[in-house]
Amino acid sequence: DQLGREGLQPSGFADPRDIFATMFGGPEFEPFIGTLAMCAPVDEKLAADAEQAMSALYAKVEELRTKKAAGELTPEVEATVRAELEALQADAREKETALRESNAKIQRARVAKCTAHLHAYIGPYLSGSEEAQAAWRRKARDELAKLRAVSMGEPMLNTIGYIYTHHTQKVLGRHGVGVHRLWGTLESAREFTHKLGEGMSTVSKVVSLASAQSKLARDAEEGAAGKGKLSQEKKEELAQRVSENAFQLMWKITKRDIEDTVRAVVDAELEQAPSEEQAGAETGAPAAATAALDDSSAEEARVAEAAAAMQIEIDLPAHVLARARAIIELGQIFSEAMTFTQFVNRDKGPSRAEKAAAAVESSLRSKGVDVDAVKKSAAEASSTAYAKAAEAGAPAGGGGG
C-alpha cells in the first residue's frame, strides 16, 4: 500500500507451488514421493485451453437459462443454442482429456523415478548378508532422523511407512503367499476403511471450513452494529477454525497424493524383473552372481515345499518376496514417525482418552494391581503372537532379519 503500483514487482511474489512444496517436505522427500501433484509442472497451454473451453461452455449454459427465463426460447432459438452447446461440450471434453493425459504422463514419470530410487535403496538389504542388512538398517534410521527434521517430515514419513508396510502385505496377500493370504484380506479391508475414513474426514473439513467462512462473511456484511454481530472473541475463534481447517484440508490432499504415488511405486517395484545378478547364472555369470541365484533358487524350493505341505498356491518368485521384506522393514522404520494428529498436538496436553487411560491405571494401582507386570505380560504375549505369525509366514519370505 505504501509503495503503490511500483511496489508490485514480480520478484516480490512467490510461486504458490514453491510455497506448497516448502511447506510439505521440500526436496528432501522427492526421492521417495517425487514432486507433489500440487507443485508439479503442468502444460500451461493445455491448462489454459481447458479453462477457456469450460468458460465458454458455462457462458452458453447461462445464455440458455436467461433466454428461457425471459420467454425468448422459441423452438428455433433453442435448437440453435443446444447445437452450439453440444459443440462446446465436445470441445471441453477434448481439451480436458488432453490435459488429463498430460498430467498422467507426468505422474507416470514421477512413479518411475521414485521406483528407481526405492529399487536402489533396498539393494544392499537384498544381498542377504547380516552385515549388509545391519548397515542398511542404520542407514534407514539415519534417513528417518534426517527427514523428521524437515517441514511436516513426521506425518509424511508416517504416511510413506504406512503404505510401504500395508500395501506390500496386501500385494503379497493377492498372490496367496503363506500367512499373507489372510493378511492380504485384512489389508484390503484396512485399505477400504482407511480410504473411507479419509474421504469422510475431508468432507467434514470442507463443511466446517465453509461454515466458518460463511459466518464471518455474514458478520462482515451486517455492518458495525447489527443485532447478530459476532463478538471479537467469536470472530477470532472462527478465524482460527478457518486457518486450522484450511491447513488440515491441504494436508488431506497432500496425504492422498502421497499414498496413491507410493502405492504405485510399491506395485512397480514388486513387478520388476529380477536383477542381473539373479538372472546371470543362466548365461554363465561370475561365481558371486551364481551364488546369488543359487540362494534365490534354494529359497524358492523352500517356499514351494512349505506351500505344498500347507496346500497353498504360490505364484511369486523369491526375488519379489525378498524385495517385499525389505520394503516392509523400511516401512516399519518410517512408521516410527508421528502421525499428523500426533504431530499437530505434540505441544498440547494429553487427550481425554489419554487422561481416561491414566485415571484407570491410577485406580488399578491404588487397588494393589501390578499394572507394570500386566503391561509386560501383554507385550510379551503380543511379541509371541507376532513371532508365531512370522514363523508361519517364513515360507512366504519372512524372517528377513
Side-chain angles (χ1 to χ4, degrees), residues 377-392:
S377 296
E380 289 175 349
S382 176
S383 178
T384 300
Y386 183 85
K388 289 183 177 179
E391 182 180 353

Side-chain angles (χ1 to χ4, degrees), residues 163-321:
I163 299 301
Y164 276 169
T165 302
H166 297 293
H167 188 68
T168 302
Q169 290 178 344
K170 177 187 172 184
V171 171
L172 292 176
R174 282 204 303 258
H175 295 271
V177 183
V179 76
H180 289 295
R181 170 180 290 175
L182 174 59
W183 290 349
T185 302
L186 295 176
E187 291 303 338
S188 294
R190 184 202 297 268
E191 182 178 314
F192 174 79
T193 304
H194 176 74
K195 287 183 176 180
L196 180 63
E198 288 293 319
M200 293 177 66
S201 177
T202 300
V203 171
S204 173
K205 295 303 177 187
V206 171
V207 172
S208 180
L209 178 61
S211 174
Q213 286 180 321
S214 176
K215 290 178 181 178
L216 288 171
R218 284 200 307 270
D219 182 73
E221 292 173 357
E222 287 175 358
K227 185 177 180 180
K229 191 72 176 173
L230 296 173
S231 66
Q232 184 62 29
E233 181 181 359
K234 184 63 175 178
K235 285 193 288 186
E236 290 177 357
E237 177 188 334
L238 289 172
Q240 180 67 20
R241 188 195 304 174
V242 168
S243 176
E244 290 178 355
N245 285 334
F247 179 68
Q248 291 179 15
L249 186 58
M250 290 172 65
W251 165 246
K252 293 290 183 184
I253 294 171
T254 302
K255 183 180 180 183
R256 177 62 181 271
D257 178 33
I258 293 172
E259 289 183 343
D260 290 346
T261 299
V262 176
R263 284 192 184 97
V265 169
V266 170
D267 286 338
E269 173 58 18
L270 296 181
E271 290 170 1
Q272 280 195 56
S275 64
E276 292 181 4
E277 288 78 6
Q278 290 171 314
E282 296 179 5
T283 57
T290 304
L293 183 62
D294 288 342
D295 290 342
S296 175
S297 300
E299 183 175 355
E300 286 180 329
R302 291 193 297 271
V303 170
E305 182 180 353
M310 294 187 292
Q311 296 183 339
I312 297 173
E313 181 181 354
I314 295 294
D315 62 354
L316 284 176
H319 75 272
V320 174
L321 299 175

Side-chain angles (χ1 to χ4, degrees), residues 61-217:
V61 169
E62 188 60 31
E63 179 186 339
L64 182 61
R65 289 175 179 170
T66 302
K67 288 182 179 296
K68 186 174 182 179
E72 301 174 357
L73 201 62
T74 63
E76 294 79 9
V77 171
E78 182 176 4
T80 300
V81 173
R82 289 194 178 279
E84 294 173 348
L85 189 61
E86 290 176 2
L88 288 171
Q89 286 175 329
D91 183 58
R93 282 195 298 269
E94 181 182 343
K95 299 289 175 54
E96 184 65 24
T97 298
L99 181 59
R100 280 201 305 268
E101 290 176 351
S102 174
N103 291 339
K105 182 178 180 181
I106 292 172
Q107 177 66 7
R108 287 194 296 271
R110 172 187 178 188
V111 169
K113 189 174 182 179
C114 293
T115 303
H117 174 264
L118 179 61
H119 186 75
Y121 197 92
I122 65 176
Y125 182 98
L126 303 180
S127 70
S129 70
E130 293 183 4
E131 294 79 6
Q133 290 185 355
W136 180 86
R137 292 187 188 95
R138 289 194 294 272
K139 176 186 176 184
R141 292 200 171 279
D142 288 344
E143 195 87 52
L144 173 69
K146 181 185 75 173
L147 293 177
R148 272 180 153 172
V150 174
S151 175
M152 291 295 290
E154 292 273 358
M156 291 178 71
L157 275 167
N158 186 274
T159 300
I160 296 169
Y162 180 92
I163 299 301
Y164 276 169
T165 302
H166 297 293
H167 188 68
T168 302
Q169 290 178 344
K170 177 187 172 184
V171 171
L172 292 176
R174 282 204 303 258
H175 295 271
V177 183
V179 76
H180 289 295
R181 170 180 290 175
L182 174 59
W183 290 349
T185 302
L186 295 176
E187 291 303 338
S188 294
R190 184 202 297 268
E191 182 178 314
F192 174 79
T193 304
H194 176 74
K195 287 183 176 180
L196 180 63
E198 288 293 319
M200 293 177 66
S201 177
T202 300
V203 171
S204 173
K205 295 303 177 187
V206 171
V207 172
S208 180
L209 178 61
S211 174
Q213 286 180 321
S214 176
K215 290 178 181 178
L216 288 171

